[in-house]
Amino acid sequence: MTVPHFRETWPAFECNGWRKAVELDPGLVDMWALLYLLVGVCAAHGLRVGVGIADVTGPPAEIGFMGYANFEQSGQGIHLRQFARAFVMADDNSRLVFVSVDAAMMGNGIRKEVLKRLQKRFGDLYTENNVILSGTHTHSTPGGFLMDFLFDLPILGFVKETYIAYIAGILKSIYIAHNNMKPARLEYAEGELLDANINRSPTSYLRNPPEERAKYKYDVDKTLAQVRFLGPQNKVLGVINWFAVHPTSMNNTNRLISSDNVGYASILMEKALNGPNTLPGKGSVVCAFASTNLGDVSPNTRGPVCEFSGKPCDQSALCGHKERCFASGPGRDMFDSTRIIATKLFDTAMSVLKKPGEDLTGPVGVVHQYVEMPKQVVSPFDPLTDTFNTSAKVSGCLPAMGYSFAAGTTDGPGAFDFTQGTTTSNPLWNVVRDFIAEPTKEDIECQVPKPILLATGRARFPYEWQPHVVSCSVARVGGLVMAAVPGEFTTMSGRRLRRQLARAADNIAQRVVLAGLSNVYADYIATPEEYQAQRYEAASTIYGPHTLDIYLNKYVELTHALIQGRTVDPGPQPADFSEQLITLVPPVLWDAAPWGKEFGDCLVQPQKQYSHGDIVTATFVSGHPRNSVRHGRWYAAVERLQSPEDDAWITIATDADWETKYIWHRNSKILGTSHAEIEWEIPAGTPPGTYRLHHFGNYKYILGGIYPYSGFSDSFEVT
């Protein structure tokens, strides 16, 4: 019989709880063919998605932060808590886990332990082949978890509390996502975001061929890419946003744990979709702002200036005697700059969310391989022809850091008188270098024009300083391909990778995204042209000038395997140094309350009355916050009196909220006394009523044992 055109009679059909419009050939006349097509479309789109969020906040006091390599930057409290945001995607044949973590990066030790515990619970459902952990790259969170000595050195070694906090939170987020799998579809959309990022090494970017640069309007990516997961009736289940920007709005003077601009953007979006009264980390809709090719991209949009003179600078030379060159954000201070950049991210993401998206729903697949970078020999990439030169070969080097690494960046200047763009060595510093580990003649030649400041690939004491083996993954969900990379790709490096993967996956991928700082951290990836300039990013490109060439070859190879359904060799396992780890971080010995006081007593009470915009403060007798990380709980809360008759109070904000600060101060190491300040900046729209501040904690008794306590401030009125 003749079947009328589909759009005239059946505009949509029900599939897995959601309605899907299907376009058919107007000439289709066979009813059986029509039914076959409908069943085939539904089967192909049998995607299930689960989302989960969990607290991963590390020890908030007296632990160094990972990112700026500043020995003086250790924690003194919390401004924004850290969260892991998990997305589990599955069809009938395959499964993928992507977790965006509010941390500087992810390390192999954490991933290995997460996988061990997942397999204990779920068997072979989750393996190193299909679990991707990506750090957002905030520089204001506890370190000591990477198990590579160079990265843990500024933190004074391995910190078990950080390590356990990250593992426990990541696992919980995955468990929640696993238990909340729903039929879903995937949509992609994007939008332009201006005035939120700049290139912090623009002269390096200009080293790339002008013909290649002419393909792009800006010297950093201005596109916010968004993937959203929609359940039945188009309900938003979760959102992943990728935008290239360093989470370094909070500078290296900050002492409060903070997820920085991308973390706050996630909180803003989750509140918008879950309801404004939802506490951070407690909503059902999960929204991540994940890292991508942010290597040379800064949020400090005012650009770099000399510390005292205010003259523009780029760190190629010192501004003056003991005068640093650094960049600042658009706000009056780092908190305001964080808020401004986060709000721009949030506003753009919400605007994109409201736009129609491309339906990319389809099968799930992923391939993974460990790669020993120094042993790779590949064909170099030609950016002018966008092809590989198969008539030539280049190779990787043993890891090494260049002189310009020590200069730092305009987001966080380094120490001594190192400058960016250094291509010659210094005999005095070479003596220091050789005392740690002396590079061979082959190492020096391999890294040219980088002068080696630290021959990290040769260093073995007390254990490996930087990874030799990295983790490489390519995943697909329908028409989306995601490359999970183990480091910080610069703008042009990321563009080259996306171009190559789009070509390699042309028959399956409408969109390609790059997920940075995934699974293992192997520093930066600059283009070979940028490498010649030897600014910070190039000096930190540890496997030599052809690092990007190796990655381009490897990810194209993995993409072809993914498309063809081939299994790949797992590659060599990363070295395990878990039995060799050292720490110089002193433990908490004991806590004591001042004479005549108890833990939780309020020493400084708030005023009796406040208005919107005022800052409420109170000071409490405190135990050391390292006694318990209080995941899913908190050290500080703001409570409102809901029912005077029953003395019933409800929590309206915690130390995970933007408006609060939990600040810990040690009074005496010998006596073990300390106090905590709680601040609450009353936001506009706060209902009039009676409020109080609530402090929670744990103290360590001098004779042993850790015990909980809590205390309240006096109540106060908000008018």
Side-chain angles (χ1 to χ4, degrees), residues 369-372 469-470 569-575:
Q369 188 175 64
Y370 287 115
V371 179
E372 190 168 4
V469 176
V470 301
D569 182 85
Q573 284 285 327

Coordinates of all heavy atoms in Angstrom, one line a residue, residues 369-372 469-470 569-575:
Q369 N 44.9 3.9 25.3 CA 46.2 3.3 25.2 C 47.2 4.1 26.1 O 47.2 5.3 26.1 CB 46.7 3.3 23.8 CG 48.0 2.5 23.6 CD 48.4 2.5 22.1 OE1 48.7 3.5 21.5 NE2 48.4 1.2 21.6
Y370 N 48.1 3.4 26.8 CA 49.2 4.0 27.5 C 50.3 4.2 26.5 O 50.6 3.2 25.7 CB 49.7 3.2 28.7 CG 48.7 3.2 29.9 CD1 48.0 2.1 30.3 CD2 48.5 4.4 30.5 CE1 47.2 2.1 31.4 CE2 47.7 4.5 31.6 CZ 47.0 3.3 32.0 OH 46.1 3.4 33.1
V371 N 51.0 5.3 26.5 CA 52.0 5.6 25.5 C 53.3 6.0 26.2 O 53.3 7.0 27.0 CB 51.5 6.7 24.5 CG1 52.6 7.0 23.5 CG2 50.3 6.3 23.8
E372 N 54.4 5.4 25.9 CA 55.7 5.8 26.4 C 56.3 6.8 25.5 O 56.9 6.5 24.5 CB 56.6 4.6 26.6 CG 57.9 4.9 27.4 CD 58.7 3.7 27.8 OE1 58.3 2.6 27.4 OE2 59.7 3.9 28.5
V469 N 55.2 7.6 30.8 CA 54.1 7.0 30.2 C 52.8 7.8 30.4 O 52.6 8.2 31.6 CB 53.9 5.5 30.7 CG1 52.6 4.9 30.1 CG2 55.1 4.7 30.4
V470 N 52.1 8.1 29.4 CA 50.9 8.9 29.5 C 49.7 8.1 29.1 O 49.8 7.0 28.4 CB 51.0 10.2 28.6 CG1 52.2 11.0 29.1 CG2 51.1 9.9 27.2
D569 N 46.5 -2.2 21.4 CA 47.4 -2.7 22.4 C 47.3 -1.8 23.6 O 47.3 -0.5 23.4 CB 48.8 -2.7 21.9 CG 49.8 -3.3 22.9 OD1 49.9 -4.5 23.0 OD2 50.4 -2.4 23.6
P570 N 47.2 -2.3 24.8 CA 47.0 -1.4 26.0 C 48.2 -0.5 26.3 O 48.1 0.5 26.9 CB 46.8 -2.4 27.2 CG 47.3 -3.7 26.7 CD 47.1 -3.7 25.2
G571 N 49.4 -0.9 25.8 CA 50.6 -0.1 26.0 C 51.2 -0.4 27.4 O 50.6 -1.1 28.2
P572 N 52.4 0.1 27.7 CA 53.0 -0.1 28.9 C 52.4 0.6 30.1 O 52.0 1.7 30.0 CB 54.4 0.4 28.7 CG 54.2 1.5 27.7 CD 53.1 1.1 26.8
Q573 N 52.2 -0.1 31.2 CA 51.6 0.4 32.4 C 52.5 1.5 33.0 O 53.7 1.4 33.0 CB 51.4 -0.6 33.5 CG 50.2 -1.5 33.2 CD 48.9 -0.8 33.4 OE1 48.7 0.0 34.3 NE2 47.9 -1.2 32.6
P574 N 52.0 2.6 33.5 CA 52.8 3.6 34.2 C 53.4 3.0 35.4 O 52.9 2.1 36.0 CB 51.8 4.7 34.6 CG 50.6 4.5 33.7 CD 50.5 3.0 33.4
A575 N 54.6 3.5 35.8 CA 55.3 3.1 36.9 C 54.5 3.3 38.2 O 53.8 4.3 38.3 CB 56.7 3.7 37.0

